């Protein structure tokens, strides 16, 4: 006889033993039931509304589609904004900016009127020269009082002045620049638009007013002279002005005095003084200020004692203690005097040399 749950005729042939249903493992959970497209009407609905036994359920609304659409729209908006900000310059288009001007330069040799004064002690030379009260090194390049302009803030003006000071230090005071072994310290502060001109000046120097390394740097002929004292005397001033709404201009007027001796002569040899007055004009657009770089647009230098017959374009070749110039201009030029000017060559005024 069959069990209490078996059919009267017993378990059908081929059916599961013990009445186990082969579909027992199928679980009709709530989500399965709710997802069914057909739904059986309740007994009450069939009695009152004469509804059919089953009805088709409306498709379920899924929130994923709307969320996905919103997500896609957000991605597109963000992507479009990134492209727009990348193309649009924060300070206007490149066409609105002034092009970078090439540097215009002049290096004027100053020939001594007699023998170059010398002394065994560089300090003695400095003490008896117009540079006696000059500061040493970068201390001689102080920043002026800073005021904002109509279109540039205090911090932007400070950045321009600081960049110019850094350039003066790197191009006039660094020992590795003075001995002609390096140019990178100064080059790193130039606007990229001037790098080709700078590199051509170093690789192919020419006295053409555009490509003289001594227009960019103070550097001595390493086979001729070397520093006798690392304490270079400096005095001068900086001034910042706004030339237009997009440009700051800084002018620098400084006199540098170096104690030199013959290369390889040793500490016991006589030293002499060499003076370089540099009048430089720098320009800055907003990119230059942001990147701490400058456009050097005018460089005017007077340097001596030099021979007027020499080439001061590539290196400065000083006349040292006891030497005389072969030729010079009849008019004396004093690089310590702010109102002093000269032509292609001048003579170094006696007042500019130490009294020994």
């Amino acid at each position: 006889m069959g069990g209490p749950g078996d059919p009267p005729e017993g378990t059908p042939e081929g059916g599961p033993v013990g009445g186990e249903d082969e579909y027992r493992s199928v679980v009709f959970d709530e989500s399965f039931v709710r997802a069914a497209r057909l739904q059986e009407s309740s007994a009450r609905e069939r009695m009152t509304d004469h509804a059919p036994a089953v009805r088709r359920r409306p498709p379920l609304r899924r929130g994923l589609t709307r969320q996905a659409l919103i997500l896609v729209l957000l991605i597109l908006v963000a992507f479009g904004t990134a492209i727009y900000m990348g193309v649009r310059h924060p300070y206007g288009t490149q066409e609105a900016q002034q092009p970078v001007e090439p540097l215009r330069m002049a290096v004027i040799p100053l020939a001594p009127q007699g023998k170059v004064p010398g002394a065994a002690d560089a300090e003695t030379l400095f003490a008896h020269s117009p540079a006696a009260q000059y500061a040493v090194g970068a201390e001689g390049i102080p920043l002026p009082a800073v005021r904002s302009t109509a279109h540039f803030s205090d911090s932007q003006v400070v950045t321009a002045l600081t960049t110019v000071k850094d350039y003066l230090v790197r191009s006039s005071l660094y020992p590795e620049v003075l001995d002609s072994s390096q140019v990178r310290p100064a080059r790193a502060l130039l606007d990229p638009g001037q790098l080709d001109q700078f590199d051509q000046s170093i690789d192919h120097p020419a006295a053409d007013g555009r490509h003289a390394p001594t227009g960019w740097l103070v550097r001595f002929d390493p086979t001729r002279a070397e520093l006798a004292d690392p304490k270079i005397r400096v005095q001068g001033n900086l001034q910042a002005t706004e030339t237009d709404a997009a440009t700051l201009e800084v002018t620098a007027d400084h006199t540098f005095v170096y104690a030199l001796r013959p290369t390889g002569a040793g500490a016991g040899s006589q030293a002499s003084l060499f003076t370089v007055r540099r009048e430089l004009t720098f320009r800055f657009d907003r990119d230059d200020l942001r990147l701490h770089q400058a456009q050097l647009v005018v460089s005017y230098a007077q340097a001596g004692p030099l021979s007027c017959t020499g080439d001061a374009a590539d290196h400065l070749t000083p006349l040292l203690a006891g030497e005389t110039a072969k030729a010079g201009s009849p008019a004396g030029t004093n690089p310590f005097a702010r109102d002093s000017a000269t032509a292609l060559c001048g003579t170094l005024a006696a007042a500019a040399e130490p009294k020994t």
Side-chain angles (χ1 to χ4, degrees):
M1 294 181 63
D6 293 334
E9 297 84 4
T11 303
E13 184 177 355
V17 179
E20 293 184 0
D21 190 350
E22 62 177 325
Y23 299 104
R24 180 175 296 179
S25 60
V26 178
V27 178
F28 298 99
D29 58 10
E30 183 179 355
S31 62
F32 179 84
V33 174
R34 295 180 61 184
R37 301 300 302 274
L38 297 177
Q39 182 182 26
E40 183 180 4
S41 302
S42 66
R44 182 183 299 275
E45 290 173 334
R46 290 198 297 268
M47 292 176 61
T48 58
D49 297 335
H50 304 286
V54 295
R55 65 177 181 271
R56 183 174 295 274
R57 300 180 63 180
L60 292 177
R61 291 193 175 187
R62 300 182 181 272
L64 181 60
T65 302
R66 178 178 296 178
Q67 293 176 359
L69 179 60
I70 294 175
L71 180 60
V72 170
L73 289 175
L74 289 175
I75 293 174
L76 290 176
V77 170
F79 186 68
T81 302
I83 293 177
Y84 175 76
M85 294 302 294
V87 173
R88 180 179 179 271
H89 194 280
Y91 300 109
T93 61
Q94 292 291 337
E95 290 76 15
Q97 294 184 352
Q98 295 181 355
V100 177
E101 293 186 17
L103 171 62
R104 294 174 287 114
M105 62 183 70
V107 181
I108 310 301
L110 302 180
Q113 298 183 41
K115 287 186 178 182
V116 176
D121 182 13
E123 290 289 344
T124 300
L125 289 172
F126 282 124
H128 291 84
S129 78
Q133 303 302 318
Y134 282 16
V136 175
E139 294 181 1
I141 315 175
L143 298 183
V146 175
R147 294 181 179 178
S148 62
T149 66
H151 299 92
F152 293 90
S153 65
D154 289 349
S155 63
Q156 289 174 316
V157 176
V158 169
T159 296
L161 292 168
T162 302
T163 303
V164 170
K165 178 175 180 176
D166 289 345
Y167 186 87
L168 289 171
V169 170
R170 295 186 186 192
S171 65
S172 310
L173 299 178
Y174 272 24
E176 62 269 29
V177 173
L178 298 176
D179 66 12
S180 301
S181 62
Q182 283 286 339
V183 298
R184 285 186 177 182
R187 184 184 187 276
L189 290 176
L190 292 173
D191 185 287
Q194 291 189 310
L195 295 183
D196 286 344
Q197 184 187 6
F198 180 91
D199 293 340
Q200 186 175 351
S201 300
I202 300 301
D203 297 337
H204 305 286
D208 59 359
R210 287 288 189 272
H211 300 97
T214 48
W216 302 93
L217 314 161
V218 175
R219 64 180 197 165
F220 301 108
D221 184 347
T223 66
R224 176 73 178 167
E226 65 183 15
L227 287 177
D229 187 340
K231 297 178 182 178
I232 301 164
R233 298 331 196 247
V234 185
Q235 181 171 288
N237 58 75
L238 298 171
Q239 184 176 0
T241 57
E242 178 183 312
T243 58
D244 56 52
T247 310
L248 267 179
E249 185 172 282
V250 176
T251 55
D253 185 356
H254 292 79
T255 301
F256 301 84
V257 186
Y258 307 85
L260 303 177
R261 64 187 174 202
T263 300
S269 61
Q270 279 206 329
S272 60
L273 298 186
F274 189 88
T275 303
V276 180
R277 180 181 172 188
R278 305 185 74 192
E279 298 175 72
L280 309 177
T281 301
F282 298 83
R283 286 182 187 156
F284 297 84
D285 59 28
R286 297 184 187 277
D287 276 348
D288 292 326
L289 295 173
R290 180 172 55 86
L291 299 174
H292 192 64
Q293 61 192 21
Q295 304 171 34
L296 177 57
V297 294
V298 177
S299 173
Y300 178 81
Q302 302 172 28
L306 288 171
S307 174
C308 288
T309 59
D311 181 10
D314 191 6
H315 298 88
L316 298 174
T317 306
L319 294 172
L320 302 173
E323 296 182 332
T324 58
K326 294 181 179 179
S329 169
T333 299
N334 187 350
F336 292 90
R338 294 297 176 209
D339 58 352
S340 180
T342 188
L344 296 179
C345 187
T347 55
L348 187 63
E353 297 185 306
K355 306 296 187 292
T356 58

